[in-house]
Amino acid sequence: MGTKGDGYWHRLVKRLTTDVDQLDADDLSTHAEAQGARRACDCRSGEEVTVFGRLRTVELCPRDAAATLEAELFDGTEGVTLVWLGRRRIPGIEPGRTVKAQGRIAVRDGRKVLYNPYYELQTTAP
């Protein structure tokens, strides 16, 4: 058999035997790179970055009487917390939504964070 057929069977077996969450993460990571975004695992503190992924959680975190909206963006490799200071709600920012965000990455409590990021809501999910 030719190489093309071997590649097809290899991909088919991989799809049938790999965990669904891992397949979803792989697809999301591939789509993020196609969008021109950096993988979250490659981002370092202080860098200006563009990340792309799916929002896992969105929560309002009141801290000292100032509202803070936090959302965890997962790009298939690692999570990045998006934080909007002084906001209680942003239309379209909800779990399951695909977002492209841009800003300067920071590290807070060992987690990567983008404060008040520029963001674009994506119309189609990968």
Side-chain angles (χ1 to χ4, degrees):
M1 274 191 150
T3 326
K4 187 175 184 180
D6 294 339
Y8 169 78
W9 288 110
H10 178 73
R11 287 191 310 273
L12 179 62
V13 169
K14 182 179 178 186
R15 285 239 179 240
L16 292 174
T17 59
T18 304
D19 180 41
V20 174
D21 291 334
Q22 183 60 45
L23 289 173
D24 185 48
D26 291 345
D27 289 344
L28 193 55
S29 179
T30 301
H31 194 67
E33 290 176 2
Q35 291 288 321
R38 296 217 12 223
R39 296 182 329 155
C41 66
D42 296 336
C43 297
R44 302 289 173 247
S45 182
E47 294 179 335
E48 185 76 25
V49 297
T50 299
V51 291
F52 177 92
R54 190 173 303 124
L55 297 178
R56 282 185 166 173
T57 61
V58 177
E59 60 185 57
L60 173 63
C61 301
R63 297 184 196 270
D64 301 332
T68 302
L69 184 66
E70 293 188 7
E72 182 191 3
L73 181 132
F74 181 69
D75 75 343
T77 62
E78 195 173 286
V80 174
T81 303
L82 307 179
V83 178
W84 289 275
L85 303 170
R87 301 292 300 262
R88 295 188 180 277
R89 183 177 184 286
I90 299 174
I93 299 296
E94 55 198 28
R97 190 69 188 255
T98 305
V99 174
K100 188 177 195 179
Q102 188 174 15
R104 187 165 306 277
I105 200 113
V107 176
R108 179 183 75 184
D109 300 328
R111 296 174 38 205
K112 295 178 181 178
V113 180
L114 285 177
Y115 288 99
N116 293 323
Y118 170 79
Y119 66 95
E120 296 175 16
L121 299 173
Q122 304 297 302
T123 55
T124 58

